[in-house]
Amino acid sequence: MVERKILITGASRGLGLAIANRLSTEYTLILHATREESFTGTIDPKHHILCADLSDPAELTAFCKRLKKEHNDLFGVINNAGVTFDTSLVYQPERDIDKMLHVNLKAPIMICKAVMKQFLLNKTGVIINVSSVVGEIGNAFQVVYSATKAGLLALTKSLAREVSALSEEHSIRVLSIAPGFIETDMTDGIPESEKQKVLKAIPANRFGKADEVAEMVAFLVSDKASYINGTNLNINGGIL
Ligand SMILES: NC(=O)c1ccc[n+]([C@@H]2O[C@H](COP(=O)([O-])OP(=O)(O)OC[C@H]3O[C@@H](n4cnc5c(N)ncnc54)[C@H](OP(=O)(O)O)[C@@H]3O)[C@@H](O)[C@H]2O)c1
């Protein structure tokens, strides 16, 4: 049987790498990062690498074009790549605001747009947008980041509804997941005093692991999750 093909953006580190490792044997993957050098481990030759700096509009356009041209047999997309620049909105440089808007929100929108025609023709496909707990509850010093993550929640729900308006019988699913505080490079730089404050608000009494998120994603992309659609799933140790 031909393996299903899944794109994972931001697959070089953190959640994306854990998801790639978890899906690697069952699926053929298109692994994305800003550049090829970001991948440091060995990669099974059955997988593909497709890189782009998603903060650059020209690179995003070229990436979507290649995706459509070279991978029109795609089954799934994990829109996982993301960036954060934590500071007060008052002091946030516009350059960083644009980067977060482009990588975290515009890129997932354009990637959904690029693959959806094919998904509608095939009447099957899965998209998982990696949002965040702060997309629901907000967070001081992450104003723009939180706004991009809230945007992904609305993108997910709206696109799932749009698919149902365009296609009567289909098995296309559009989902988002909202991780809480997961140990990766992104959370590494948070000062210890801040981490201790966050920890007090987590009923599980610990931070999450990238492998735990990967396990959830593996379930959601599989046919076992065939009736889960148009919704957001939390994985946050109970913080919400
Ligand atoms: N960690 C958490 O606690 C947490 C919680 C909630 C949500 N999330 C979300 O989960 C996703 C993954 O987070 P993470 O913690 O795994 O982050 P991470 O360890 O910092 O990894 C980020 C990934 O995104 C890629 N990336 C960064 N800038 C990019 C750009 N300009 N263009 C294209 N790709 C870019 C990186 O590629 P390079 O290696 O090439 O830089 C890397 O693969 C993000 O969307 C994040 O917002 C994380």
Side-chain angles (χ1 to χ4, degrees), residues 9-16 32-35 38 52-55 79-83 99 103-104 130-133 145 149 178-187:
T9 67
S12 54
R13 295 186 274 128
L15 302 189
H32 158 273
T34 50
R35 61 191 81 81
S38 299
D53 180 345
L54 300 176
S55 68
N79 274 317
N80 164 78
V83 285
K99 260 197 179 174
V103 178
N104 300 0
V130 181
S131 177
S132 165
V133 63
Y145 175 76
K149 294 298 175 180
F181 192 111
I182 313 295
E183 289 167 342
T184 67
D185 289 354
M186 188 175 267
T187 46

Side-chain angles (χ1 to χ4, degrees), residues 69-89:
K69 200 168 166 209
E70 295 167 28
H71 300 289
N72 66 359
D73 54 347
L74 202 62
F75 168 75
V77 173
I78 319 292
N79 274 317
N80 164 78
V83 285
T84 186
F85 302 98
D86 298 352
T87 188
S88 164
L89 180 62

Side-chain angles (χ1 to χ4, degrees), residues 126 172-175 219-220 224-231 233:
V126 182
I172 299 167
R173 296 182 295 118
V174 189
L175 295 164
F219 169 69
L220 291 175
K224 291 178 192 155
S226 52
Y227 202 54
I228 305 180
N229 186 25
T231 192
L233 291 106

Side-chain angles (χ1 to χ4, degrees), residues 83-87 89 92 96-106 108-109 129-156 176:
V83 285
T84 186
F85 302 98
D86 298 352
T87 188
L89 180 62
Q92 188 122 61
D96 291 350
I97 294 174
D98 285 341
K99 260 197 179 174
M100 285 186 277
L101 290 171
H102 274 100
V103 178
N104 300 0
L105 187 57
K106 179 143 188 209
I109 290 172
N129 295 312
V130 181
S131 177
S132 165
V133 63
V134 301
E136 261 191 84
I137 63 176
N139 202 16
F141 309 107
Q142 285 195 320
V143 170
V144 179
Y145 175 76
S146 304
T148 63
K149 294 298 175 180
L152 290 180
L153 300 178
L155 166 69
T156 299
S176 60

Side-chain angles (χ1 to χ4, degrees), residues 37 45 49-51 67 74 85 92 95 118 120 127 133 143 157-158 165 179 185 196 201 206 217 234:
E37 300 78 70
I49 292 180
L50 193 58
C51 292
L67 199 58
L74 202 62
F85 302 98
Q92 188 122 61
R95 185 188 62 244
Q118 200 59 44
L120 286 165
I127 294 172
V133 63
V143 170
K157 289 176 183 163
S158 303
D185 289 354
Q196 289 312 315
R206 65 174 177 86
V217 170
N234 294 318

